[in-house]
């Protein structure tokens, strides 16, 4: 009898345990994304693979550069026959190394595709891919603000419009694939790629990333451009916490895949649990394909597979490195064939199978089929004259720059008054294009990676000085003198051997080529006779970006000392910061009449800045990152609450306006069931000032019950609300209980309990709040996270 009781007791305990947890088998998805392939594509691709030699298969899973088949700027048929006799998967960064007209670029692509479709046995076109983080990275194309600035717009709709315009430009020359967006969360301004991020928060980055993907891809891969979400996952951090990885660093990628429909992923150069991501089956097979459910194409970052052998020493040679990456799930090696040509050798050694390689080949060809490249007569580019920077694109660039600018301090000096008749415009970023551009812009790639100059008139880049002159006209006198350079001493000659904080001296010097020596005393003289001083400080293209590291994150060189001397004149100083990261300005900000953070604002920078300063545009930007008060090299995340508070000068979500907004009439039910679709959190927002303005209303949640293992505060919704002076609107956030999901014990849970929802103007400026009890049994999301965002209404 006792033998029967023990199993019964065990079963009873298991039943009691799981009675406390409700399993949701019918999770509501935001939208079911179509699969990567279908029966028609499968049949076409399978037929191709069945007829392929190993050389032809390998060609489809590698990339190359146009330079390898060109002589003196022209395509060489001899080199094509030698270098790509079996075809090729991708041509990498094909346009950012060219300085040719859009029409010539299109014709170049057509010429290469003609060779592939007429002289190779299988006649398979290549994918031409490029960077698109700030627009199509090519000569004459619209240059949008860098992503960290775009993050401060909190405007996904604008992002979608921008990337739709980018897709139009790319398709016009035959490009079908982008190595964008960058979705890494960045929680330290010390990281040299910080500027490419949408900031520190997973929710905001996910919203912006999904918009980016939707705009770029459109409704049909055959007319849009395939987005590649990168860098999967947790790049730029030393995180090894599974919970943080799943809940935060994974979320933007997952949302772009499940909500945005992204079908291409790029693993990072980083390491997870001691193994490089490109050789990490836990990251790529388990997390990406099994847990997230990704069914698309995985492309390597440039040279990443080689690093498995050369940098990380995880492989004894290149055949082993290639086999490790292939087995982990990297389908295509970019940018040039280094390890994958050795895969036949790896097969002979038993390191990889031909079946696994064929899976990668199939995914490569499926992507080409989806993009229309395997159609009978694929459309390569658009006939006729091409304009890559039409007025409608420049308007988008202008609006994005305006909305990205964050007003950090203002004692009433801004907007500039009518009695301002003389402005001293000083500082290294006052009259240069080098402080307007982010990394992976066409200009940045050409000048840093290629080490050649760029044409600042195609597209036309508007400097701060030009913008002020264009907008203010002859009614205001602008006295301009740099006064200092980015990193040279204030009163010394420029040291041509050590100028600047970055590594490449020839690039440091290009920023000041042709400029007169800065004159400190002249600048101070202008300051003393002016009504207002605009001090344009910060960084340039060579002080920030991949491959460029600075010591510290304060204003470079002697800029802070220069600002202190300007303050000492007694004239009001407007500190204008153009940079790819937050600059530590806590020693001088309170003494300035105003502080404006403009980031790297792109081609329309000068006009956007001028319009914000003079008040024709009311600033609406809100920080997508916490603004540090110290140069201490630590990760800062508003979600950690008081633990990093002492290191923050301006909190996440912060930004001033020229008007004021009043929040009231908070409304939310006292309870909701854990299986409910949505519950509503609402409030009224009123513009109580004299100017029209836009407020970014932010919804946060904090756990009330101490046993809930959630961060102390998390963003769960936001909306830009346009309000005329005196106007009031009601904002409704429709929140799903599934937005409260947490990852624990290898499962996604929603915990029942009490939560406080907070509505504020920043993460530290909470105006309204209320507590709701999520009732029912704890919920397991068997299909994983499916609902990411609140749904918003304004009336």
């Amino acid at each position: 009898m006792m033998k029967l009781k023990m199993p019964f007791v065990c079963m009873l305990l298991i039943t009691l345990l799981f009675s406390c947890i409700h399993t949701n088998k019918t999770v509501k998805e935001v939208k079911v994304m179509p699969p990567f392939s279908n029966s028609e594509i499968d049949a076409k691709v399978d037929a191709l693979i069945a007829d392929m030699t190993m050389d032809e298969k390998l060609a489809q899973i590698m990339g190359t550069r146009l330079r390898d088949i060109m002589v003196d700027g022209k395509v060489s048929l001899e080199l094509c026959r030698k270098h790509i006799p079996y075809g090729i998967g991708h041509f990498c960064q094909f346009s950012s190394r060219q300085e040719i007209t859009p029409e010539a670029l299109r014709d170049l692509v057509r010429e290469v595709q003609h060779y592939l479709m007429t002289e190779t046995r299988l006649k398979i076109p290549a994918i031409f891919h490029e960077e698109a983080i700030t627009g199509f990275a090519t000569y004459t194309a619209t240059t949008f603000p860098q992503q960290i600035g775009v993050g401060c717009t909190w405007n996904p709709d604008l992002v979608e419009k921008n990337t739709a315009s980018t897709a139009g430009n790319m398709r016009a020359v035959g490009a079908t694939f982008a190595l964008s967006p960058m979705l890494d969360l960045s929680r330290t301004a010390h990281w040299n790629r910080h500027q490419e991020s949408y900031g520190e928060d997973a929710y905001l980055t996910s919203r912006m990333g999904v918009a980016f993907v939707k705009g770029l891809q459109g409704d049909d891969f055959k007319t849009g451009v395939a987005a590649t979400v990168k860098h999967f996952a947790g790049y730029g951090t030393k995180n090894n916490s599974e919970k943080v990885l799943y809940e935060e660093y994974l979320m933007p990628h997952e949302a772009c895949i499940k909500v945005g429909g992204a079908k291409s992923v790029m693993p990072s150069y980083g390491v997870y649990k001691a193994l490089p991501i490109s050789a990490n089956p836990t990251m790529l097979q388990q997390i990406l394909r099994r847990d997230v459910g990704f069914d698309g194409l995985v492309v390597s970052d440039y040279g990443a597979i080689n690093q498995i052998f050369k940098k990380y020493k995880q492989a004894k040679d290149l055949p082993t490195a290639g086999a490790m990456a292939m087995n982990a799930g990297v389908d295509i090696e970019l940018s040039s064939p280094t390890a994958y040509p050795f895969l036949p050798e790896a097969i002979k050694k038993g390191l990889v199978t031909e079946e696994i390689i064929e899976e990668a080949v199939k995914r490569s060809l499926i992507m080409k089929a989806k993009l229309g490249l395997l159609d009978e007569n694929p459309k390569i580019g658009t006939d006729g004259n091409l304009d890559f920077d039409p007025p409608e694109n420049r308007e988008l660039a202008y609006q994005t720059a305006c909305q990205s600018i964050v007003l950090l301090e203002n004692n009433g000096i801004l907007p500039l008054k009518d009695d301002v008749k003389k402005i001293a415009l000083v500082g290294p970023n006052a009259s240069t294009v080098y402080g307007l551009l982010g990394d992976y812009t066409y200009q940045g790639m050409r000048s840093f990676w290629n080490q050649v100059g760029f044409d600042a008139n195609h597209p036309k880049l508007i400097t701060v000085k030009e913008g002020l002159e264009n907008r203010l006209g002859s009614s205001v006198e602008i006295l301009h003198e740099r006064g200092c350079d980015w990193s040279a001493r204030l009163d010394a000659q420029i040291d041509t051997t050590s100028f600047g904080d970055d590594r490449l001296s020839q690039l440091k010097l290009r920023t000041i080529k042709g400029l007169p020596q800065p004159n400190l005393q002249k600048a101070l003289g202008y300051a003393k006779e002016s009504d207002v001083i605009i001090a344009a400080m910060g960084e340039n293209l060579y002080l920030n970006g991949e491959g460029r590291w600075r010591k510290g994150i304060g204003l470079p060189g002697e800029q802070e000392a220069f600002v202190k001397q300007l303050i000492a004149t007694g004239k009001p100083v407007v500190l204008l910061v153009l940079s790819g990261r937050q600059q530590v300005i806590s020693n001088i900000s309170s003494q300035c009449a105003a502080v404006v953070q403009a980031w790297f604002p792109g081609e329309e920078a000068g006009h956007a800045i001028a319009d914000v300063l003079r008040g024709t545009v009311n600033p609406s930007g809100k920080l997508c990152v916490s603004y540090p008060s110290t140069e201490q090299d630590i990760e800062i995340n508003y979600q950690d609450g008081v633990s990093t508070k002492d290191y923050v000068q301006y909190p996440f979500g912060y930004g001033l306006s020229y008007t004021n907004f009043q929040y009231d009439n908070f409304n939310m039910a006292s309870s909701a069931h854990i299986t409910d679709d949505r519950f509503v959190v609402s409030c009224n927002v009123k513009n109580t000032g004299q100017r029209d303005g836009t407020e970014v209303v932010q919804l946060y949640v904090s756990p009330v019950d101490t046993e809930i293992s959630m961060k102390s505060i998390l963003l769960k919704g936001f909306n830009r609300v346009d309000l005329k002076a005196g106007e009031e609107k009601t904002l409704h956030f429709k929140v799903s209980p599934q937005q409260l999901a947490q990852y624990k014990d290898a499962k996604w849970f929603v915990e029942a309990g009490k939560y406080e929802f907070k509505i504020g103007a920043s993460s530290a400026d909470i105006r309204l709040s209320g507590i709701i009890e999520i009732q029912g049994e704890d919920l397991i999301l068997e299909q994983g996270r499916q609902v990411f965002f609140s749904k918003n209404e304004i009336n």
Side-chain angles (χ1 to χ4, degrees):
M1 191 67 180
M2 289 299 293
K3 291 181 180 179
L4 294 174
K5 284 185 178 180
M6 288 306 295
F8 176 78
V9 171
C10 291
M11 289 299 296
L12 179 61
L13 289 173
I14 292 170
T15 302
L16 289 172
L17 173 64
F18 281 94
S19 69
C20 298
I21 303 175
H22 178 74
T23 302
N24 186 353
K25 297 183 179 179
T26 56
V27 176
K28 299 180 178 68
E29 296 186 3
V30 175
K31 182 180 179 181
V32 177
M33 288 293 114
F36 185 47
S37 190
N38 56 44
S39 58
E40 181 182 353
I41 291 176
D42 282 344
K44 179 181 294 187
V45 168
D46 288 342
L48 277 171
I49 293 175
D51 187 39
M52 280 182 163
T53 66
M54 177 55 72
D55 287 329
E56 289 167 336
K57 291 173 185 176
L58 293 178
Q60 293 303 317
I61 57 173
M62 294 187 291
T64 192
R65 302 274 196 169
L66 276 177
R67 66 190 178 202
D68 294 324
I69 59 167
M70 296 181 73
V71 176
D72 297 329
K74 303 292 184 181
V75 174
S76 165
L77 275 178
E78 180 182 353
L79 288 180
C80 286
R81 291 164 181 156
K82 178 181 178 181
H83 187 66
I84 50 172
Y86 307 109
I88 194 69
H90 284 238
F91 277 99
C92 307
Q93 290 180 345
F94 77 102
S95 63
S96 53
R97 291 178 178 269
Q98 313 287 333
E99 190 176 46
I100 57 178
T101 66
E103 295 83 5
L105 184 63
R106 173 201 60 208
D107 294 344
L108 176 61
V109 172
R110 285 176 168 176
E111 186 176 1
V112 175
Q113 297 285 41
H114 178 74
Y115 160 79
L116 291 169
M117 291 187 290
T118 57
E119 294 215 17
T120 63
R121 188 178 76 89
L122 295 173
K123 308 185 186 313
I124 301 173
I127 286 175
F128 281 74
H129 77 232
E130 192 48 85
E131 307 290 341
I133 191 173
T134 58
F136 182 23
T138 194
Y139 178 62
T140 78
T142 305
T143 304
F144 292 102
Q146 184 56 286
Q147 274 199 182
I148 193 169
V150 178
C152 294
T153 70
W154 296 57
N155 192 340
D157 293 339
L158 187 57
V159 171
E160 189 169 344
K161 292 176 182 177
N162 291 349
T163 57
S165 74
T166 298
N169 281 349
M170 294 183 73
R171 272 286 179 175
V173 295
T176 56
F177 196 97
L179 301 185
S180 305
M182 195 271 221
L183 300 175
D184 302 306
L185 306 184
S186 184
R187 291 165 174 173
T188 172
H190 291 267
W191 188 32
N192 63 341
R193 302 192 70 172
H194 183 70
Q195 59 163 286
E196 298 175 56
S197 171
Y198 281 127
E200 70 190 52
D201 182 71
Y203 185 96
L204 176 59
T205 300
S206 299
R207 282 285 311 276
M208 303 300 263
V210 167
F212 190 112
V213 171
K214 286 186 173 181
L216 195 68
Q217 294 187 166
D219 297 327
D220 187 346
F221 274 83
K222 288 194 176 185
T223 54
V225 168
T228 301
V229 296
K230 65 182 187 184
H231 305 90
F232 192 88
Y235 190 38
T237 178
K238 297 177 181 178
N239 169 63
N240 268 327
S241 164
E242 187 176 66
K243 179 177 174 63
V244 174
L245 173 67
Y246 272 81
E247 290 183 5
E248 300 177 40
Y249 292 103
L250 193 61
M251 181 180 174
H253 303 274
E254 188 177 2
C256 284
I257 291 165
K258 291 181 175 180
V259 182
K263 294 299 183 182
S264 174
V265 167
M266 176 185 284
S268 84
Y269 288 124
V271 172
Y272 180 63
K273 295 189 175 179
L275 193 60
I277 306 298
S278 293
N280 197 316
T282 299
M283 185 67 78
L284 300 182
Q285 295 289 359
Q286 176 187 316
I287 298 177
L288 176 61
R289 293 209 181 271
R290 189 195 72 185
D291 296 350
V292 174
F294 179 69
D295 63 347
L297 184 72
V298 176
V299 301
S300 83
D301 207 337
Y302 287 11
I305 298 175
N306 187 46
Q307 288 186 0
I308 300 169
F309 164 53
K310 293 284 189 178
K311 178 179 178 180
Y312 294 112
K313 311 299 182 185
Q314 294 291 323
K316 66 177 183 179
D317 52 28
L318 284 172
T320 306
M324 290 176 69
M326 179 60 65
N327 287 325
V330 180
D331 298 313
I332 297 183
E333 181 183 17
L334 304 176
S335 62
S336 297
T338 302
Y340 279 10
F342 294 101
L343 286 176
E345 182 178 336
I347 293 174
K348 291 178 182 178
K349 292 180 177 179
L351 301 176
V352 69
T353 66
E354 187 168 353
E355 288 73 22
I356 290 176
I357 293 172
E358 284 189 358
E359 289 177 7
V361 175
K362 183 169 183 175
R363 283 191 281 263
S364 174
L365 293 174
I366 287 171
M367 179 59 79
K368 289 188 174 184
K370 290 178 72 67
L371 294 170
L373 294 173
L374 300 188
D375 290 353
E376 186 174 349
N377 294 299
K379 179 176 171 54
I380 309 296
T382 303
D383 294 338
N385 295 327
L386 304 177
D387 185 353
F388 278 176
D389 192 35
E392 57 270 25
N393 282 19
R394 290 201 71 95
E395 177 63 21
L396 286 172
Y398 167 76
Q399 291 293 341
T400 308
C402 287
Q403 293 182 26
S404 71
I405 294 170
V406 184
L407 181 62
L408 297 175
E409 300 278 359
N410 188 21
N411 69 1
I413 191 69
L414 297 179
L416 297 173
K417 310 301 184 292
D418 291 340
D419 59 358
V420 171
K421 299 299 181 184
K422 189 175 291 188
I423 293 174
L425 176 61
V426 299
N429 278 329
S431 182
T432 177
V433 299
Y434 289 95
L436 314 181
L437 304 164
D439 198 10
Y440 286 103
T441 55
Y442 163 75
Q443 300 88 346
M445 294 175 69
R446 185 169 174 79
S447 54
F448 183 78
W449 297 111
N450 302 347
Q451 298 186 19
V452 293
F454 58 84
D455 184 349
N457 290 311
H458 294 94
K460 173 61 178 174
L461 304 173
I462 308 296
T463 67
V464 175
K465 182 173 180 286
E466 289 174 315
L468 288 169
E469 290 172 342
N470 291 343
R471 294 308 204 230
L472 297 175
S474 59
S475 62
V476 178
E477 184 180 3
I478 297 174
L479 307 174
H480 169 245
E481 164 58 45
R482 294 199 330 276
C484 77
D485 277 309
W486 287 277
S487 300
R489 297 187 62 81
L490 283 172
D491 51 1
Q493 294 292 315
I494 296 172
D495 182 353
T496 59
T497 63
S498 62
F499 167 74
D501 289 343
D502 70 278
R503 313 182 287 171
L504 302 175
S505 59
Q506 66 270 35
L507 298 184
K508 304 169 193 175
L509 292 173
R510 189 174 293 121
T511 64
I512 55 170
K513 184 179 181 180
L515 297 177
Q517 179 74 22
N519 188 322
L520 171 63
Q521 295 306 317
K522 186 177 180 181
L524 293 175
Y526 281 163
K528 290 173 183 177
E529 66 174 285
S530 68
D531 299 315
V532 172
I533 303 165
I534 297 176
M537 304 294 171
E539 299 177 313
N540 61 35
L541 194 56
Y542 309 127
L543 293 173
N544 194 325
E546 185 174 15
R548 285 146 281 186
W549 290 94
R550 279 186 52 208
K551 296 178 180 178
I553 54 172
L555 291 173
E558 301 291 332
Q559 292 183 43
E560 182 175 310
F562 183 26
V563 174
K564 287 180 178 178
Q565 293 185 29
L566 294 171
I567 292 169
T569 66
K571 295 300 178 73
V573 175
V574 175
L575 176 60
L576 173 65
V577 182
L578 295 106
S579 62
R581 54 164 68 90
Q582 312 93 296
Q583 309 285 286
V584 175
I585 54 174
S586 51
N587 291 334
I588 54 176
S589 56
S590 63
Q591 303 168 64
C592 294
V595 178
V596 178
Q597 177 68 56
W599 311 108
F600 285 145
E603 67 179 40
E604 277 290 312
H607 290 150
I609 290 167
D611 286 346
V612 166
L613 295 180
R614 69 194 185 111
T616 55
V617 169
N618 194 343
S620 60
K622 298 274 191 171
L623 291 175
C624 64
V625 284
S626 302
Y627 211 100
S629 59
T630 171
E631 292 199 68
Q632 187 169 344
D633 190 1
I634 60 171
E635 288 197 350
I636 299 175
N637 179 10
Y638 79 95
Q639 298 173 3
D640 295 329
V642 295
S643 63
T644 56
K645 186 177 180 181
D646 293 341
Y647 303 103
V648 175
Q649 182 173 7
Y650 306 107
F652 174 84
Y654 170 87
L656 300 176
S657 171
Y658 295 150
T659 188
N660 298 302
F661 300 98
Q662 175 183 299
Y663 292 62
D664 60 19
N665 197 28
F666 180 89
N667 191 25
M668 179 178 66
S670 60
S671 66
H673 197 272
I674 203 163
T675 60
D676 286 349
D677 183 22
R678 303 266 175 180
F679 59 88
V680 178
V681 184
S682 66
C683 73
N684 292 349
V685 182
K686 184 176 182 179
N687 182 346
T688 59
Q690 302 301 309
R691 290 177 173 268
D692 297 349
T694 299
E695 177 70 327
V696 179
V697 181
Q698 301 158 43
L699 178 70
Y700 296 90
V701 66
S702 298
V704 175
D705 296 339
T706 56
E707 61 269 22
I708 297 176
S709 56
M710 179 183 281
K711 289 286 187 71
S712 62
I713 183 170
L714 291 168
L715 183 70
K716 291 300 175 184
F718 63 87
N719 213 332
R720 291 176 58 90
V721 184
D722 299 326
L723 293 165
K724 297 185 181 300
E727 186 179 15
E728 183 175 24
K729 291 182 180 179
T730 301
L731 178 58
H732 306 269
F733 293 101
K734 296 181 179 180
V735 180
S736 168
Q738 292 187 36
Q739 289 180 249
L740 306 174
Q742 301 175 70
Y743 192 78
K744 298 192 301 182
D745 302 322
K747 291 183 177 66
W748 283 102
F749 282 78
V750 180
E751 290 185 290
K754 293 183 179 180
Y755 297 84
E756 183 178 14
F757 279 85
K758 307 170 179 181
I759 294 178
S762 81
S763 60
D765 183 10
I766 303 301
R767 307 291 181 87
L768 305 167
S769 66
I771 295 174
I772 188 170
E773 182 176 5
I774 304 299
Q775 299 176 339
E777 301 167 353
D778 288 352
L779 185 68
I780 296 178
L781 304 180
E782 282 191 340
Q783 299 177 42
R785 185 165 42 184
Q786 297 292 337
V787 180
F788 295 87
F789 309 128
S790 66
K791 295 180 179 179
N792 308 332
E793 292 181 0
I794 301 175
N795 53 42

